[in-house]
Amino acid sequence: MRLFEKPFRRMRQKLRFSFDGVEVEAFEGETLAAALSAADVRDFRTARHGDSRGMFCGMGVCFECLVTVDGRHNVRACMEPAVEGACVSRQVYPGGPGGPGGTAGAPEIRKPDLLIVGAGPAGLSAALAARDDALDVVVIDERAKAGGQYFKQPNSGLVPPDGLGVDAQYREGASLMRKVREAGIEIVQDAVVWGAFAPLGIAVVAGGSNIVYEPRSVIVATGAYERGVPTPGWTLPGFMTTGAIQSLLRSHRVVPGRRVVVGGNGPLNIQVAAELHKAGATVVAVVEAAPVTSPGRFGPLLGALSANPGLLLAGFRYVARLKAAGIPIHYGHVVTGATGDKGVRSVSIAPVDGDGRIDRQRSLTLETDIVCVGYGFEANDEIPELLGAEAVIDPTTSRRRILVDDTYQTRIDGLYMIGDALGLRGSRVALAQGAIAGAAARERLGGRARDDAATRKAARRLSRNTRFQDRLWQLFKAPDMLTRLAAEDTVVCRCEGVSMAQVRKEADAHASIGNVKRATRAGMGRCQGRYCGPVIERLIADAGGYVPSPHGVMAPRPPIKPILISDIAREPDVD
């Protein structure tokens, strides 16, 4: 359903396009995914084995929402704007050629002093800190609008420019973006980074143009994407990440169904459930893997309260809003599966104990149109790895972490990394890291020297909010469900349709990620192993044949994201 409540009045005119020959109404500024969701269309394409797929991640990572637009195949509906008269159709695997591309000429070489990749909280904060009249600072971002996953802004046709009346999260993001623009910093939107080449080359397709940036310094602020936890029915249209439904809601004022179940682990799920309820959706239930807060968690609760009382109280308000509305919160439960024909019709939930054992005998069934889940995040750290940054395995998380110094510079001179790409710590930590890294890069490039007082202030914010995040995740501590929910026939690799049984068989036999890929094609699809890679890694580790490596689950190679060959290729020079 499309929401029309104030202050989110729609400022632009309506437009119309067709989807499989049926007229669909949209508003200027909406993506195809938002317009189709508002029209109650969730089935966007037919996958490799004939099953229906729809939007999953909502941020251009999973490539599940591919459609064909005016003859162009493999178009991401969650990133593509709706335009008047477009002929859009459901895409059938494999989708065919991409269609006409860009100029296909020699790449344009741009040499700013500082290139910031990502326009979320970390990247925007770094841009402000790095501004200097003597330096050319450029920010590039894959989305149509800056703000990232946290500062999701309303689309261009949705609210008045001043954003009056919207919530504090909207206002803070709008204020930060306004300051960046007023500082004269260039932000290039719709810029897809497809390659990174030593020493600091960043290859980009933006608006059909082939651009190679060769800056003197790079700050990587590419954020993170939600972790994929294979679950029976998770490929059904209507089963999506929490971030995907929040993007539809906050950026487009669209809810893709009347009845929603929110599940997974972490405070974001509580916030999204409260926002959905406020917007008018029927939130059937919240399913939280962590147990209800007990006296044993009193210490982390006090620690979070002392570190950032405002954020903790905001969380309590979300919970209070849900309870006041009579929305059940099933603590210590997980979503164990979804059922439906070409879309979700019901989900099952069951209790889970602290060791991850699921009591399926006490399973409940909930009728719903949509289920959104979030079980944490994976870092977007391909660029530093391609550039040769050194990494280690973090002993507390068993995950890869890029090594940085106290200014967030990696072991590569001039290459910095900040925000959730470095490790999930939330927007407040990202803002502080951006302030520190931006000032350090500015000084390194010959701009103004760092202001010691400003640096100390950012360091204090960083320390305080790091403590808050640590205590918060102690409160939401839950068993790792990465490989515990899937049945043997559950799809693990969404792109190639590879099941848990297929992956487990090869993992047990070969104990090598490379061999599993060659035998099953898992990890060889459009998302390039972003969702199935950690699952495969865990299964091989469980089989005793793999120790987590700082080189990553599946080593990234250009293109980092699928692009049209015609966007970067050119005719060879002929004498």
Side-chain angles (χ1 to χ4, degrees):
M1 57 182 178
R2 188 178 275 115
L3 308 172
F4 289 90
E5 83 280 20
K6 292 181 179 180
F8 297 99
R9 55 186 182 276
R10 297 174 189 273
M11 303 294 288
R12 304 290 181 89
Q13 62 185 11
K14 293 180 181 180
L15 56 89
R16 289 172 175 79
F17 65 92
S18 66
F19 183 72
D20 280 354
V22 177
E23 187 176 271
V24 176
E25 185 177 86
F27 282 83
E28 189 173 344
E30 288 181 339
T31 62
L32 289 174
L36 290 170
S37 296
D40 202 28
V41 176
R42 297 191 271 284
D43 174 9
F44 290 178
R45 73 179 183 98
T46 302
R48 184 184 185 93
H49 297 298
D51 51 321
S52 297
R53 299 290 176 88
M55 186 172 72
F56 178 66
C57 76
M59 57 185 295
V61 174
C62 71
F63 292 83
E64 286 283 48
C65 63
L66 297 179
V67 293
T68 299
V69 181
D70 295 332
R72 289 186 296 127
H73 297 282
N74 307 316
V75 176
R76 293 175 291 177
C78 68
M79 305 292 281
E80 185 78 5
V83 298
E84 177 67 38
C87 182
V88 184
S89 59
R90 184 176 282 103
Q91 183 160 299
V92 178
Y93 182 90
T103 57
E108 177 185 353
I109 306 298
R110 298 183 185 177
K111 297 187 177 185
D113 294 301
L114 174 62
L115 181 69
I116 299 172
V117 185
L124 293 173
S125 175
L128 274 181
R131 70 188 186 279
D132 189 289
D133 291 342
L135 300 177
D136 179 17
V137 178
V138 176
V139 181
I140 60 174
D141 190 76
E142 189 172 358
R143 292 171 175 266
K145 201 164 186 178
Q149 282 294 95
Y150 181 74
F151 288 137
K152 295 182 180 82
Q153 292 295 294
N155 69 51
S156 59
L158 198 55
V159 296
D162 58 13
L164 293 176
V166 295
D167 67 23
Q169 194 167 321
Y170 279 121
R171 291 195 300 273
E172 184 181 5
S175 174
L176 184 58
M177 282 178 271
R178 184 175 62 251
K179 290 176 182 176
V180 171
R181 288 193 298 269
E182 290 173 351
I185 296 167
E186 180 185 5
I187 302 180
V188 180
Q189 304 290 166
D190 299 309
V192 179
V193 175
W194 65 267
F197 307 95
L200 294 176
I202 305 295
V204 174
V205 170
S209 297
N210 182 15
I211 305 168
V212 174
Y213 287 94
E214 296 180 351
R216 295 164 57 201
S217 278
V218 173
I219 297 178
V220 176
T222 43
Y225 57 92
E226 282 172 282
R227 183 174 302 140
V229 177
T231 307
W234 77 315
T235 59
L236 284 170
F239 196 118
M240 61 185 65
T241 68
T242 305
I245 201 168
Q246 191 185 42
S247 291
L248 288 174
L249 177 62
R250 294 188 69 85
S251 295
H252 304 288
R253 306 312 293 168
V254 165
V255 179
R258 293 281 177 180
R259 295 171 61 82
V260 183
V261 170
V262 182
N265 173 224
L268 176 62
N269 299 324
I270 301 291
Q271 177 185 345
V272 170
E275 290 176 348
L276 287 167
H277 167 68
K278 183 179 179 181
T282 299
V283 179
V284 177
V286 177
V287 185
E288 169 56 54
V292 67
T293 299
S294 64
R297 299 194 176 197
F298 192 64
L301 186 64
L302 282 180
L305 183 63
S306 64
N308 197 322
L311 286 180
L312 188 64
L313 292 175
F316 284 143
R317 284 195 292 271
Y318 288 133
V319 173
R321 188 183 303 169
L322 295 173
K323 289 186 174 181
I327 297 169
I329 303 177
H330 297 276
Y331 291 103
H333 281 67
V334 289
V335 173
T336 55
T339 58
D341 181 14
K342 291 191 174 182
V344 172
R345 290 292 174 265
S346 67
V347 298
S348 56
I349 69 172
V352 60
D353 67 16
D355 295 321
R357 292 185 292 263
I358 302 169
D359 186 354
R360 299 181 187 273
Q361 298 299 316
R362 296 165 59 194
S363 179
L364 299 174
T365 299
L366 306 175
E367 301 298 319
T368 187
D369 304 311
I370 299 292
V371 55
C372 58
V373 297
Y375 283 99
F377 297 82
E378 299 288 345
N380 267 320
D381 57 4
E382 297 95 347
I383 292 174
E385 184 175 0
L386 284 171
L387 293 176
E390 187 176 347
V392 296
I393 294 298
D394 190 325
T396 61
T397 64
S398 297
R399 296 183 180 278
R400 180 179 58 176
R401 175 170 55 83
I402 302 294
L403 285 175
V404 295
D405 62 19
D406 58 359
T407 68
Y408 295 95
Q409 185 170 218
T410 70
R411 299 295 173 88
I412 304 278
D413 187 36
L415 176 63
Y416 300 78
M417 190 170 184
I418 54 175
D420 286 349
L422 186 62
L424 184 69
R425 293 289 188 176
S427 64
R428 304 296 148 193
V429 169
L431 288 165
Q433 290 176 344
I436 293 169
R442 182 191 70 219
E443 183 178 69
R444 176 186 175 277
L445 292 167
R448 290 178 291 110
R450 280 179 286 177
D451 183 326
D452 290 340
T455 299
R456 286 194 296 270
K457 183 178 179 181
R460 288 194 297 270
R461 293 200 310 270
L462 177 66
S463 176
R464 182 174 69 251
N465 287 293
T466 299
R467 290 199 314 273
F468 174 80
Q469 286 291 321
D470 289 342
R471 302 302 184 272
L472 184 67
W473 282 104
Q474 288 176 32
L475 290 172
F476 278 92
K477 185 178 180 180
D480 185 347
M481 304 307 298
L482 185 62
T483 60
R484 296 178 185 272
L485 296 174
E488 288 301 287
D489 62 350
T490 300
V491 168
V492 170
C493 176
R494 300 175 64 98
C495 297
E496 297 297 322
V498 183
S499 71
M500 173 65 83
Q502 291 172 285
V503 174
R504 197 188 302 276
K505 175 184 175 183
E506 298 302 329
D508 290 343
H510 300 295
S512 159
I513 285 179
N515 285 336
V516 171
K517 288 177 67 175
R518 285 186 285 272
T520 67
R521 289 192 57 81
M524 299 176 70
R526 291 185 178 94
C527 92
Q528 300 183 26
R530 287 178 172 87
Y531 289 99
C532 67
V535 180
I536 297 171
E537 180 183 39
R538 178 68 57 79
L539 291 173
I540 294 175
D542 289 346
Y546 178 77
V547 176
S549 165
H551 299 295
V553 180
M554 297 183 180
R557 294 287 184 270
I560 300 171
K561 294 282 186 74
I563 54 172
L564 296 178
I565 293 176
S566 55
D567 274 333
I568 63 171
R570 64 188 177 100
E571 294 292 333
D573 296 328
V574 179
D575 293 334

